[in-house]
Amino acid sequence: LGVVAPTHHDLPRVRRESLRRILWAFATWNRCLGYNHDFAQFCRAVISLPISERHAFLLSMALYQRLGLDDYYAKHNGWLEHDVMQVVHHLECNAASLVVTFQAHECM
């Protein structure tokens, strides 16, 4: 998931604060994740959906856990243990609107 979302300057200030809180919550919840620029862009794409901050966090958390993104984003010298294409296929089958939003932000 080579996520390339708009820069933080493209997000309204309120959304930037939401992104900061979501990333902090993830870093607190999963110390192996820490700060990951690619994951921040993934969350930025989710935040750009017309949903509340709470729902953006819950959606990010659900995707992270359900799709096994820990293997993709966690700190482990860059080795991927799951096939990224399986994640993309799962999203296309089960979350088509999310895929459309990611594509609109050039995230996939």
Side-chain angles (χ1 to χ4, degrees):
L1 293 173
V3 179
V4 180
T7 66
H8 72 277
H9 299 292
D10 296 333
L11 286 174
R13 187 182 66 74
V14 172
R15 287 294 188 181
R16 285 195 308 267
E17 286 298 312
S18 294
L19 178 61
R20 184 189 62 75
R21 285 189 294 271
I22 287 173
L23 292 174
W24 180 84
F26 263 100
T28 301
W29 170 72
N30 183 351
R31 301 241 185 250
C32 292
L33 180 62
Y35 176 79
N36 181 298
H37 181 72
D38 293 330
F39 184 69
Q41 290 185 347
F42 172 84
C43 289
R44 186 177 296 134
V46 173
I47 279 194
S48 70
L49 295 169
I51 56 179
S52 70
E53 179 179 332
R54 180 176 186 272
H55 287 120
F57 174 73
L58 293 174
L59 178 58
S60 297
M61 175 77 79
L63 288 170
Y64 187 86
Q65 291 177 325
R66 200 141 181 234
L67 299 175
L69 297 180
D70 188 49
D71 288 332
Y72 187 80
Y73 290 118
K75 300 175 195 173
H76 51 70
N77 298 325
W79 292 100
L80 300 180
E81 297 177 18
H82 287 291
D83 187 357
V84 173
M85 292 312 297
Q86 290 177 347
V87 173
V88 172
H89 177 71
H90 183 81
L91 284 174
E92 289 172 342
C93 292
N94 298 303
S97 62
L98 185 60
V99 171
V100 169
T101 301
F102 278 16
Q103 289 171 339
H105 289 285
E106 299 178 359
C107 299
M108 293 181 80

